[in-house]
């Protein structure tokens, strides 16, 4: 079989990387199409995945008009690459996968979460042969929509898949018992981020100064705009492929971005999300709040106070670890499901028994 996969962001690389490895080991021909965005191609290189670029995402503008213009040029490149590769099935999301599947006359499998990009869903949904999303999302996407117990991050953070690198503390230069926190600041340059604001510059500086009184602080700045020379914090400068190992060992993650908050929660690390002006209600965060793995805040003072409270609490990491142990292991191993769906070309009725048990048709909450 020939399987085409779209990895447009670092999170997409993680979503598919184990499935790509397993499909190649089974003798299938897999191609990953990607764009230059953040550390996406760095991750593809690190994990040795077979990829080709179809374009570049300009992070200098987050306007919908600019992003739409970029999309037009990228679609043309995608068409040519998809026709030449001749896939038997296409995995992805949004107009990218829809166009590739249409021109290649191949089934399209969309793997979605609860992000608010109605444009992506509206464009791609009519072309999808199979849509997979977490059961906690609340969208009804029709008869070809199937949900699973878990999160898209379960493809790489499920206990059956993820094992932390014990040497990450040595890589970071922190001691075995040294407390450290991660602060993640969003670039807010994706299509669904247009018009949203997270931490202000002043709030970022204040947060880092306050956190540093309780722990060593590492900063992951997606936009790359922060000057840390006069602040009591260090840049997170390990290879981006090691970020989950760093999160697993951390005492706290504070962020105004979604994916890393979800990841930290699933790893059993206290995770705080500052919503800023993002008023969308996400099913994933609501579920992780319910089980005590993630906390969300509308106001800056509230998230700062809670962060300091958790760093001063010597038992907080143990509580989160216990919650993870009792919750995450019962979720679906999404990599298993992706591999099975690929090998059946998105035909749900042909899945093996274990995969059919893992999904349910069109029942978003």
């Amino acid at each position: 079989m020939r399987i085409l996969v779209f990895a447009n962001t670092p999170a997409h690389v993680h979503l598919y990387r184990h499935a790509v490895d397993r499909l190649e080991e089974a003798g299938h021909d897999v191609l990953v199409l990607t764009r230059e965005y953040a550390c996406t191609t760095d991750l593809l290189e690190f994990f040795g995945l077979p990829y080709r670029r179809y374009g570049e995402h300009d992070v200098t503008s987050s306007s919908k008009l600019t992003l739409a213009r970029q999309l037009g040029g990228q679609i043309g490149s995608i068409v040519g690459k998809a026709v030449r590769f001749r896939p038997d099935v296409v995995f992805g999301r949004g107009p990218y996968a829809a166009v590739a599947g249409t021109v290649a006359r191949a089934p399209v499998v969309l793997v979605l979460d609860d992000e608010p990009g109605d444009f992506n869903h509206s464009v791609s949904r009519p072309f999808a042969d199979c849509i997979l999303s977490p059961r906690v999302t609340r969208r009804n996407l029709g008869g070809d929509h199937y949900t699973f117990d878990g999160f898209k991050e379960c493809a790489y953070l499920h206990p059956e898949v993820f094992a932390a690198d014990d040497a990450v503390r040595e890589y970071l230069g922190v001691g075995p018992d040294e407390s450290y926190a991660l602060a993640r600041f969003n670039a807010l340059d994706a299509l669904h981020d247009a018009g949203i604001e997270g931490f202000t510059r002043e709030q970022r500086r204040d947060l880092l100064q306050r956190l540093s009184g309780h722990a060593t602080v590492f900063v992951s700045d997606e936009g790359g705009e922060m000057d840390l020379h006069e602040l009591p914090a260090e840049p997170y400068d390990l290879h981006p492929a090691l970020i989950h190992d760093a999160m697993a060992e951390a005492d706290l993650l504070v962020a105004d971005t979604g994916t890393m908050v979800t990841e930290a929660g699933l790893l059993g690390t206290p995770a705080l999300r500052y919503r800023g002006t993002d008023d969308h209600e996400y099913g994933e965060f609501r579920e992780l709040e319910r089980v005590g793995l993630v906390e969300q805040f509308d106001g800056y003072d509230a998230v700062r106070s809670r962060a300091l409270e958790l760093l001063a609490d010597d038992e907080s990491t143990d509580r989160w670890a216990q919650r993870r142990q009792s919750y995450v292991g019962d979720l679906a191993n999404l990599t298993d499901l992706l591999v099975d769906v690929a090998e059946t070309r998105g035909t749900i009725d042909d899945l093996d028994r274990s995969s059919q048990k893992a999904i349910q048709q069109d029942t978003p909450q």
Side-chain angles (χ1 to χ4, degrees):
M1 284 183 58
R2 302 172 69 83
I3 301 159
L4 182 62
V5 175
F6 280 87
N8 295 328
T9 69
H12 298 164
V13 177
H14 291 297
L15 169 63
Y16 292 112
R17 62 186 177 90
H18 292 296
V20 170
D21 285 342
R22 285 178 48 183
L23 289 166
E24 286 194 311
E25 289 171 1
H28 301 298
D29 189 2
V30 184
L31 174 64
V32 178
L33 288 186
T34 188
R35 61 187 178 181
E36 289 288 351
Y37 172 66
C39 61
T40 305
T41 54
D42 292 333
L43 290 173
L44 290 166
E45 291 281 354
F46 184 92
F47 295 119
L49 302 184
Y51 76 93
R52 294 176 191 164
R53 299 177 184 87
Y54 65 78
E56 182 176 353
H57 179 63
D58 181 8
V59 299
T60 61
S61 174
S62 61
S63 74
K64 291 186 177 181
L65 178 60
T66 299
L67 295 171
R69 287 173 176 169
Q70 291 176 23
L71 177 62
Q74 293 168 1
I75 290 298
S77 178
I78 288 169
V79 167
K81 290 177 171 56
V83 169
R84 286 190 293 271
F85 183 64
R86 295 178 290 106
D88 295 297
V89 63
V90 177
F91 279 79
R93 62 189 301 153
Y96 311 97
V99 167
T102 299
V103 299
R105 297 182 180 180
V108 175
V109 178
L110 304 181
V111 184
L112 306 178
D113 54 9
D114 202 19
E115 61 101 51
D118 290 322
F119 170 76
N120 281 334
H121 297 318
S122 299
V123 169
S124 56
R125 176 179 165 185
F127 302 91
D129 296 87
C130 175
I131 303 174
L132 298 174
S133 71
R135 194 160 298 163
V136 296
T137 62
R138 296 150 297 143
R139 296 181 181 274
N140 187 321
L141 299 177
D144 295 319
H145 179 206
Y146 298 84
T147 62
F148 58 90
D149 280 328
F151 305 79
K152 62 180 175 57
E153 292 80 7
C154 288
Y156 54 98
L157 296 181
H158 192 280
E160 295 175 358
V161 176
F162 178 78
D165 186 343
D166 294 335
V168 71
R169 284 183 170 270
E170 179 182 348
Y171 303 153
L172 288 169
V174 297
D177 300 318
E178 184 176 348
S179 178
Y180 73 87
L182 290 169
R184 169 67 167 181
F185 300 131
N186 199 341
L188 295 170
D189 56 8
L191 179 62
H192 58 264
D193 291 326
I196 294 177
E197 297 178 1
F199 288 114
T200 66
R201 180 174 300 181
E202 293 74 19
Q203 289 170 345
R204 292 182 180 193
R205 295 177 64 87
D206 179 64
L207 179 66
L208 298 179
Q209 289 171 342
R210 300 295 185 100
L211 295 180
S212 67
H214 299 266
T216 300
V217 182
F218 294 97
V219 178
S220 174
D221 178 23
E222 187 178 31
E225 300 175 351
M226 287 205 68
D227 182 0
L228 299 177
H229 288 96
E230 298 181 359
L231 291 171
E234 302 177 37
Y236 173 82
D237 57 4
L238 300 185
H239 193 284
L242 299 175
I243 188 62
H244 302 120
D245 306 286
M247 277 195 283
E249 280 290 310
D251 291 76
L252 177 71
L253 172 82
V254 185
D256 56 4
T257 181
T259 297
M260 284 184 61
V261 171
T262 301
E263 291 171 336
L266 293 174
L267 288 167
T269 297
L272 307 183
R273 175 178 178 253
Y274 175 54
R275 290 190 181 98
T277 61
D278 186 0
D279 59 0
H280 181 81
E281 288 294 331
Y282 300 85
E284 288 95 331
F285 293 131
R286 182 177 61 180
E287 172 66 7
L288 290 171
E289 279 189 303
R290 183 187 70 82
V291 297
L293 290 173
V294 162
E295 297 178 14
Q296 298 189 87
F297 300 86
D298 294 322
Y300 169 68
D301 290 346
V303 69
R304 181 187 63 191
S305 296
R306 182 56 172 159
L308 297 176
E309 179 184 353
L310 287 172
L311 286 178
D313 182 353
D314 293 334
E315 298 180 356
S316 62
T317 54
D318 289 337
R319 291 198 305 274
W320 255 261
Q322 291 170 4
R323 293 167 187 168
R324 176 186 188 256
Q325 184 175 4
S326 63
Y327 176 71
V328 180
D330 291 332
L331 301 178
N333 180 336
L334 184 54
T335 288
D336 287 345
L337 181 58
L338 292 176
V339 170
D340 200 9
V341 170
E343 293 185 326
T344 62
R345 294 176 171 86
T347 304
I348 298 302
D349 291 342
D350 292 342
L351 297 179
D352 66 27
R353 184 174 300 179
S354 62
S355 291
Q356 288 194 3
K357 286 183 178 179
I359 64 173
Q360 183 173 336
Q361 187 172 22
D362 198 22
T363 57
Q365 297 180 5

